Every structure is written in C-alpha cells, then in structure tokens.
Amino acid sequence: MKAFRLDELEVERAANDGAYLQFLRERNMSVGLYALNAGESDPQGPHAQDEVYVVMSGRASITVGPETTQVGRGSVVYVPAGATHRFHHISEDLRVLVVFSPPES
C-alpha cells in the first residue's frame, strides 16, 4: 500500500516551484497534484494518455474540445487522450488530482 496526504503533497509541490507534482507512478497509471492560482493561465496542451481530474479545492471553468463546464471541489472530469483541454477563468486557487492512464510519459 502507498498512502499520501494532500497537505504534504502541496508542500512538496510548492517547494519544487512547479504547478505539477507527480507523486505516484505504476505500470498502468500515474497520479499527480496540479495547482493553478486564481487568475493564472493553464499552459497545458493535449496529452497522449486518458486523464481524470478530481478537483480538491478552488473554482474554475474547464474546456475539453468544444464543451465548457464550471468545476469546483468534488468535480470529476474525464479528458480523452489527444483532446484539447484547458482550465480558465480560475476564480479561486485550484488544486486538482490528475490520474493518467497509461502513465504520463
């Protein structure tokens, strides 16, 4: 078993001066913590893997392909591999668990 605490992951992510911290990598998946502060731009582009976002805190909009929805704590969003997607209109600091399958390369 591997167990993690979000508060400790957030400290580690911030200490590494990055928006993304991958904290678990296995044969069929990887998991990370993604952070965007209110008003920031999301620079990511399409990924070669399927993704699931679980919003832990914050509020924003996300656009996946032609569809846009509002997200907040408790929202879960699936993004298929290769799909253009981006968080935007980030009104509260956003902290998101990201699950990639297969693992992000």
Side-chain angles (χ1 to χ4, degrees):
M1 177 177 79
K2 297 177 183 177
F4 305 92
R5 292 180 43 113
L6 284 175
D7 55 344
E8 293 171 355
L9 294 171
E10 176 62 15
V11 169
E12 183 178 350
R13 185 207 55 79
N16 289 316
D17 294 325
Y20 184 72
L21 171 70
Q22 182 182 96
F23 61 88
L24 179 65
R25 184 177 184 86
E26 297 294 334
R27 185 173 52 89
N28 292 319
M29 62 179 265
S30 62
V31 183
L33 178 63
Y34 191 42
L36 292 166
N37 292 327
E40 281 188 329
S41 297
D42 182 1
Q44 69 178 318
H47 303 284
Q49 305 81 8
D50 286 340
E51 294 177 77
V52 173
Y53 290 117
V54 180
V55 178
M56 305 308 294
S57 64
R59 299 188 66 73
S61 296
I62 186 170
T63 299
V64 179
E67 297 180 274
T68 298
T69 192
Q70 301 289 316
V71 294
R73 183 174 182 235
S75 297
V76 179
V77 178
Y78 167 70
V79 179
T84 301
H85 61 287
R86 183 168 320 281
F87 289 100
H88 53 92
H89 295 98
I90 302 167
S91 59
E92 295 175 15
D93 293 354
L94 196 61
R95 299 300 181 265
V96 181
L97 284 180
V98 184
V99 179
F100 286 100
S101 182
E104 183 182 33
S105 50

